[in-house]
Amino acid sequence: MAENHGEVKLLGVRESPFVVRVVIALKLKGIEYEFLEENLGNKSELLLKYNPIHKKVPVLVHNEKSVSESLVIVEYIDEAFKGNPILPTEPYQRALARFWTNFIDDKIVSSVKKVVFTLDEVEREKGVKEALEALQFLENDLKTKFFGGDEIGFLDIAALIIAYWVPIFQEVRGLQIFTSEKFPKLYNWSQELINHPIIKENLPPREPLLAFFKARVEGLSASK
Ligand SMILES: N[C@@H](CCC(=O)N[C@@H](CS)C(=O)NCC(=O)O)C(=O)O
Ligand SMILES: *[C@@H]1O[C@H](CO)[C@@H](O)[C@H](O)[C@H]1NC(C)=O
Ligand SMILES: *[C@@H]1O[C@H](CO)[C@@H](O)[C@H](O)[C@H]1NC(C)=O
């Protein structure tokens, strides 16, 4: 018998690595949901109502109750829906998973943003240095096929931005930061991850994504 999970809606945009985190979590749990596509240039009443503080996607709406911030949403999904656990069960391992997912957003996302979306050379160099340092910590921490072990877990989902988006950003910017030579284990992990059936099926297609970010970066220089 199919379990009733209630009404699940996801406000998002297809290009966002933060939104894809939530999509993957829902798919891993086998939850049906409605995707409400946002236009970030003209945000919907719904987005402003459900996430008045940050006004950002993703927002998950479960039976009219909203949750914002991708990592918080993934944890919520893991707790609200049974089966296929995403976080480890043991408290210490849960703490470590949360430590590293926070690390992804504090260190990787912020340095990658500097590298991709700033035109200032000094800032950019700083971003490259920070990204290399942060990636090295992950390279050293990776002991199994996925960070979650044999199966995809919380950190894999959070770090998908490195596996799929960072190579696209590098291509847009003509940089070599995340390479198989510099980070052999992490690179192997990234290939395993993006070829995992559930991940592969739910990633936005590469070429349009590349074009999307090329246009955004060109927009930066045009508006300078
Ligand atoms: N920390 C947030 C980041 C979400 C985020 O940056 N979303 C972007 C799209 S990739 C957004 O909605 N931007 C709209 C805006 O900043 O106005 C999360 O993890 O959910
Ligand atoms: C923004 O979207 C609303 C509908 O959601 C529409 O009525 C309005 O014309 C749009 N504004 C602009 C500037 O495109
Ligand atoms: C990753 O490394 C393992 C073990 O060395 C190997 O069997 C596997 O084929 C590699 N995966 C990819 C996608 O390169």
Side-chain angles (χ1 to χ4, degrees), residues 138-147 185-186 189:
L138 285 171
E139 172 83 6
N140 298 345
D141 185 58
L142 185 61
K143 302 284 186 322
T144 40
K145 179 176 177 187
F146 295 117
F147 286 103
K185 284 196 291 170
L186 205 55
W189 159 85

Side-chain angles (χ1 to χ4, degrees), residues 9-27:
K9 294 180 188 167
L10 173 59
L11 277 64
V13 293
R14 304 274 174 196
E15 299 84 11
S16 165
F18 307 105
V19 173
V20 172
R21 285 175 177 171
V22 177
V23 169
I24 301 294
L26 289 168
K27 295 282 177 179

Side-chain angles (χ1 to χ4, degrees), residues 13 16-18 21 40 43 55-58 69-71 105:
V13 293
S16 165
F18 307 105
R21 285 175 177 171
L40 294 179
K43 294 172 182 172
K55 307 178 178 70
K56 287 185 179 185
V57 292
E69 286 296 309
S70 61
L71 296 178
D105 281 4

